[in-house]
Amino acid sequence: MSWLEMLAVFAAGIAAGGINAVVGSGTLITFPVLLAVGLPPVTANVSNTVGLVPGSISGVIGYRRELSGQRARLLRYGSASLLGAAVGAVLLLTLPEGAFAAIVPVLIIAALVLVVVQPRLSAWVRERQRAADSPSAHGGPILLAAIFATGIYGGYFGAAQGVLLLGLLGVFVQEDLQRLNAVKNVLALLVNALSAAIFIVVAEVDWRVVGLIAAGSIIGGQLGARVGRKLSPNVLRAVIVVVGTIAVVRLLIG
């Protein structure tokens, strides 16, 4: 890579780290840049996943205050995310390229619908739970299965998995959106970290790219956390919808 290409990868890492901390979908910035500088698709995907792990850690640290009191929730959801990530990473290494291409935009659109209708839908779910006398602080088995499925998707590709997670958590868990965003950051970190560990062992990694994205995403993760945690729930919801819509457009025309 030339110095200009290296600078572009580093800048993409900063942008991706910031967007991941606030919403998710940072891969939609870094992945096209890696393809543009000449990396094969699988190598680009693998190197991108490894490189974004430090940025994910940075975002989690930035949201550490919102994680207070959520240990049980994180253990429950984290287990499902890790299992899903392992399946997704294996699928990436065994399935043909683009196997999930058709369904990814549909998943993101569904997540955006969940985010938009989340206040009313979560109220409906809460009333249903009360009527059945079965309130759940963790969202129940349906949410757990959905988090597992999102982990599979995240381990395979990962773009906009944060949007999917926030949409699901917002509907099934009665909690402040910023605290759910903090949970989302942890789950995305677990998925990326496990996938990265598998990729390092069995796949080809471009360590120059990893270093550039890692350095950039650490900076971006801190910047994104500072901005994101100051947003009101409605503004954060609007940001999620905008970023998710851009992600769908990019995927459809790419």
Side-chain angles (χ1 to χ4, degrees):
M1 287 189 294
S2 67
W3 284 104
L4 187 58
E5 289 173 334
M6 293 172 67
L7 181 60
V9 173
F10 175 70
I14 295 176
I19 289 176
N20 280 341
V22 180
V23 182
S25 303
T27 290
L28 292 172
I29 295 176
T30 48
F31 187 67
V33 172
L34 297 183
L35 294 180
V37 300
L39 267 68
V42 173
T43 302
N45 197 2
V46 167
S47 303
N48 178 67
T49 298
V50 177
L52 285 176
V53 170
S56 297
I57 295 173
S58 179
V60 168
I61 293 173
Y63 266 91
R64 61 190 180 279
R65 187 173 65 195
E66 285 76 11
L67 290 171
S68 175
Q70 301 200 78
R71 183 173 182 273
R73 186 174 287 158
L74 290 172
L75 289 173
R76 183 183 183 90
Y77 299 163
S79 300
S81 289
L82 286 172
L83 288 173
V87 174
V90 172
L91 290 177
L92 174 64
L93 299 173
T94 56
L95 290 180
E97 291 182 15
F100 282 2
I103 197 172
V104 169
V106 177
L107 290 174
I108 299 175
I109 291 171
L112 293 179
V113 172
L114 287 179
V115 170
V116 171
V117 304
Q118 179 258 320
R120 292 186 178 183
L121 191 55
S122 61
W124 179 80
V125 171
R126 183 167 60 250
E127 289 302 318
R128 293 270 297 182
Q129 290 178 341
R130 288 175 180 173
D133 196 26
S134 59
S136 173
H138 302 302
I142 295 177
L143 176 60
L144 201 62
I147 290 175
F148 170 73
T150 304
I152 295 176
Y153 168 67
Y156 183 87
F157 183 49
Q161 72 166 311
V163 177
L164 291 168
L165 286 169
L166 274 176
L168 292 166
L169 292 171
V171 169
F172 287 97
V173 182
Q174 310 307 315
E175 184 62 270
D176 177 76
L177 192 59
Q178 289 287 5
R179 284 171 60 79
L180 294 180
N181 197 30
V183 172
K184 176 269 293 179
N185 285 341
V186 173
L187 299 183
L189 168 61
L190 292 174
V191 170
N192 288 342
L194 180 60
S195 300
I198 294 173
F199 294 156
I200 288 171
V201 174
V202 302
E204 180 181 352
V205 179
D206 188 317
W207 290 103
R208 291 180 305 169
V209 164
V210 168
L212 291 167
I213 291 179
S217 65
I218 289 172
I219 297 171
Q222 286 299 301
L223 294 174
R226 288 185 181 184
V227 173
R229 69 197 321 219
K230 295 178 181 178
L231 300 178
S232 69
N234 287 336
V235 173
L236 179 57
R237 193 171 289 113
V239 171
I240 294 168
V241 171
V242 170
V243 173
T245 301
I246 293 172
V248 171
V249 173
R250 287 285 300 275
L251 287 167
L252 289 177
I253 67 176

